[in-house]
Amino acid sequence: MARLAFDDRNIVWRTVEGFDHAAYHILSVDEDARIVDLLFKFAANERIALHRHAAAYRTLVLQGELRIYRSNGELKEVRPFGSYVAGKAGGEPHTEGGGDQDVIVYFTNRDIDGPVYEILNEHHQVVATFGIPEFKALYEAQSSCAA
C-alpha cells in the first residue's frame, strides 16, 4: 500500500512570539461545547516550551513522529505518524518536538474549564496559560488575515 504524505500547502501556519519551534493553525473554537481544535507543527529535532495539559485532549499524528520528553529532558515516548492518543487533563510537565522531520499533529481539546495549556518555567511554575479566550483571539486574528 502506498504511503500518503500530509499536504499542508493550503495551511497558513502562525506563531506566537517567544514560543520557539512551534507553529499552529486553529481549526475551531467552540465556547459552548468547550472544545478547541487545532493543528500544531513542531520543528524537527527541537523541543517546544515546558507545559502541562490542563484539559482532556486527543491527538492524531499526521506527519513525522511526535517525541515527548520529561521535564528533565529524558525521552518519554515516541508517537509515529498515524498514532492516536486520548489523554486526561493534568499529567506530568513535559516538552514535545519533532523527530527527524517537522511533526504535524491534530489536537482536539475537550471539556475545557479554564486553561487548555499551562506554560511552565524550569521550576514548574506557571508563566502563561492558553484557554478558550486566548485561542478565540488567536483564531479571530487568523481569520481576519485570511480574508
Side-chain angles (χ1 to χ4, degrees):
M1 183 180 293
R3 182 174 165 189
L4 302 175
F6 183 77
D7 183 356
D8 70 340
R9 286 180 291 182
N10 291 319
I11 297 171
V12 178
W13 295 103
R14 310 273 181 214
T15 59
V16 173
E17 188 174 337
F19 292 93
D20 298 333
H21 314 299
Y24 70 88
H25 182 84
I26 299 172
L27 301 168
S28 70
V29 176
D30 186 332
E31 292 179 89
D32 294 332
R34 301 181 303 144
I35 297 171
V36 173
D37 291 333
L38 66 159
L39 297 174
F40 277 118
K41 182 190 280 191
F42 301 144
N45 298 308
E46 297 288 353
R47 298 178 194 177
I48 63 166
L50 183 66
H51 66 282
R52 178 176 29 242
H53 296 256
Y57 63 91
R58 288 164 175 69
T59 64
L60 176 63
V61 179
L62 302 174
Q63 172 186 290
E65 66 180 22
L66 178 63
R67 294 182 181 176
I68 301 169
Y69 300 87
R70 290 192 164 91
S71 61
N72 67 3
E74 173 189 345
L75 180 63
K76 176 183 176 182
E77 183 179 352
V78 176
R79 297 179 187 165
F81 78 93
S83 296
Y84 174 82
V85 171
K88 296 180 180 179
E92 68 180 302
H94 62 282
T95 62
E96 301 174 61
D100 291 333
Q101 74 176 108
D102 291 351
V103 63
I104 297 175
V105 184
Y106 166 69
F107 275 80
T108 181
N109 301 279
R110 307 281 174 154
D111 302 322
I112 299 168
D113 185 22
V116 174
Y117 303 112
E118 295 176 328
I119 310 304
L120 309 170
N121 66 15
E122 65 275 6
H123 304 292
H124 295 195
Q125 297 166 320
V126 177
V127 295
T129 60
F130 287 87
I132 286 179
E134 291 79 13
F135 280 114
K136 184 177 178 186
L138 291 172
Y139 183 62
E140 288 170 355
Q142 172 185 294
S143 298
S144 70
C145 290

